Amino acid sequence: MSAVAIKGWCPGALRPMLSGDGLVVRIRPRGGRLDASQATGIAELAARYGNGLTDLTSRANLQIRGVSDEGYPALIDGLAGLGLLDADSDTEAQRNVLVTPFWTAGDETRSLAAELEQALASARLDLPTKFGFAIDDGSERVLGGASADIRIERDRNGGLLVRADGAQFGLSVARSEAVQVALALAEWFVASGGAKGEKRRMAAHLAGGASLPQSLRGDAEPVARSADPVPGLYSTGAMVGLAFGQMPQQTLSHLAERAQALRVTPWRMVLAEAMHEMPRDADLVTDPNDPALRVIACSGAPRCREAHADTRALASALASFVPADARLHVSGCAKGCAHSGSADVTLVASREGFDLIRRGTTRGVPVLRGLTRSDLVANPSVLMRGH
Ligand code: SF4
């Protein structure tokens, strides 16, 4: 057993997790953005102390894997030098803030993110580790499919609102009130028992019958949810994808050299700020029709000790059979680390083979059980039957 690992399912930098290939160290970029020197520094640290790859997670965090006990203290010193650490592990665990990557200079996104992160650092809310916030205050609501419990969004008239995930409407707020109301909602969640529920998430708490207090309930309707973005050029930069969210050292370093900064997203893509041509590195996914964008897979075996299968090898073998409008999620166990939401098809590995779930999550009811890798590769049409 590692001397420094603390087992759990939401690692941080200050509270790493032991996995099949060593420690997993997760970095939470402030405001969802890394400047070029931070991105270069992470690439160097991943090569020196990890396995050379930097993973982008579905919470828009970065992860260095394969870290040894001996290398961990030096890695932490390196991250501290890049300004990427929090004061302590509790502060780090509470700073779960997703930020729309499409902000522009002068709008309110960055200041809202900074204010929320600062408020979270000085509040002790005892939130569950997966509990998070989304600042999705652009004219398009792009984070609607990403995991968050409290959302700051816009209504059709451009006004700000704060919405509990799972509620149809939010409370209209002035800019100066938004963070305060978001924190009040988080406090209500804990005080009303949400942190003790089975799922410990806002939507499940509301679905289980919890009723928002009058002071936090509103009738402001958020703008319609946009489809998840695809790789391509945007006014703010070049959005590029990464198969399974993995970035080799050279790829991350090259992007950092050419972009002003990198904005991280929950879609396993990064937006290279102020880049006006698509980069052509072989490891980047730049074609919106690339089958790699249709599959999601967790680390799997041999990288994760909980895994019952090599998820990424199977997902790669099946990707070209997944229709362009569908998503296949391959999970090494029922925990579903790579994707907590629903997918058109979810394959969950167990000791007895793969369970296949349609339009559900890893916890859904399988329609087929005990499938082998060779069954699936030899007969991939079984995946999308009825799609
Ligand atoms: S979902 Fe995948 S990465 Fe998460 S614990 Fe299970 S096998 Fe490991």
Side-chain angles (χ1 to χ4, degrees):
M1 177 73 184
S2 162
V4 292
I6 297 174
K7 190 158 172 149
W9 299 112
C10 275
L14 298 171
R15 189 179 286 157
M17 182 177 75
L18 184 62
S19 189
D21 55 351
L23 297 173
V24 178
V25 174
R26 188 172 290 174
I27 304 156
R28 297 167 198 232
R30 287 196 174 76
R33 182 177 190 255
L34 295 167
D35 65 30
S37 63
Q38 288 174 323
T40 305
I42 290 173
E44 286 169 7
L45 291 170
R48 193 171 313 154
Y49 301 111
N51 62 8
L53 298 167
T54 304
D55 292 342
L56 193 56
T57 75
S58 60
R59 296 295 192 98
N61 294 319
L62 297 169
Q63 212 160 255
I64 297 177
R65 301 185 68 97
V67 178
S68 67
D69 281 6
E70 296 70 37
Y72 174 73
L75 170 58
I76 285 299
D77 284 349
L79 293 174
L82 295 170
L84 289 166
L85 294 187
D86 291 278
D88 55 64
S89 58
D90 288 340
T91 305
E92 173 184 66
Q94 201 162 265
R95 189 168 58 78
N96 276 325
V97 182
L98 281 178
V99 179
T100 170
F102 296 117
W103 54 266
T104 53
D107 69 21
E108 286 165 336
T109 309
R110 290 190 80 190
S111 69
L112 277 169
E115 195 185 318
L116 177 58
E117 289 178 347
Q118 207 171 2
L120 286 169
S122 45
R124 277 287 166 260
L125 297 170
D126 286 329
L127 293 169
T129 56
K130 288 189 188 301
F131 195 95
F133 298 78
I135 298 184
D136 197 6
D137 66 326
S139 56
E140 299 205 19
R141 185 159 68 92
V142 293
L143 296 175
S147 178
D149 296 270
I150 295 175
R151 300 173 183 274
I152 299 179
E153 300 170 331
R154 299 246 172 224
D155 62 25
R156 277 192 212 133
N157 301 318
L160 278 177
L161 61 95
V162 179
R163 185 170 66 88
D165 191 49
Q168 189 181 353
F169 302 108
L171 181 66
S172 290
V173 290
R175 162 67 188 83
S176 57
E177 302 168 318
V179 166
Q180 206 183 317
V181 170
L183 254 62
L185 256 183
E187 279 167 10
W188 168 80
F189 173 80
V190 175
S192 59
K196 296 196 180 107
E198 196 195 331
K199 295 201 174 153
R200 309 205 290 166
R201 301 300 304 267
M202 181 67 87
H205 190 41
L206 295 182
S211 179
L212 288 166
Q214 198 62 40
S215 60
L216 295 172
R217 205 182 297 164
D219 57 3
E221 185 173 13
V223 289
R225 181 185 153 189
S226 300
D228 287 351
V230 294
L233 290 177
Y234 294 80
S235 60
T236 41
M239 183 76 87
V240 293
L242 301 142
F244 305 122
Q246 284 195 327
M247 259 185 295
Q249 182 205 357
Q250 301 85 332
T251 308
L252 181 53
S253 301
H254 282 169
L255 275 179
E257 272 166 27
R258 286 172 288 165
Q260 270 177 12
L262 300 181
R263 300 182 189 180
V264 288
T265 80
W267 313 295
R268 297 194 166 84
M269 297 196 280
V270 292
L271 188 133
E273 216 174 280
M275 194 182 271
H276 301 299
E277 264 180 45
M278 288 302 278
R280 296 289 162 209
D281 304 57
D283 295 303
L284 294 176
V285 179
T286 53
D287 176 356
N289 298 314
D290 193 316
L293 296 170
R294 300 171 205 165
V295 290
I296 306 161
C298 69
S299 304
R303 294 161 290 271
C304 172
R305 52 172 48 196
E306 307 290 320
H308 296 287
D310 184 343
T311 49
R312 290 182 176 170
L314 179 60
S316 298
L318 297 175
S320 58
F321 300 102
V322 180
D325 62 345
R327 293 291 172 273
L328 166 67
H329 175 199
V330 185
S331 188
C333 78
K335 289 197 175 92
C337 295
H339 181 58
S340 57
S342 179
D344 298 277
V345 177
T346 301
L347 292 171
V348 181
S350 71
R351 277 198 187 84
E352 288 77 41
F354 289 93
D355 289 347
L356 187 153
I357 297 134
R358 295 201 193 283
R359 286 179 278 282
T361 70
T362 54
R363 312 273 178 186
V365 179
V367 292
L368 292 170
R369 291 183 189 272
L371 297 165
T372 64
R373 184 185 193 283
S374 17
D375 290 338
L376 288 158
V377 173
N379 187 17
S381 62
V382 73
L383 288 177
M384 293 296 157
R385 207 162 277 162
H387 174 69

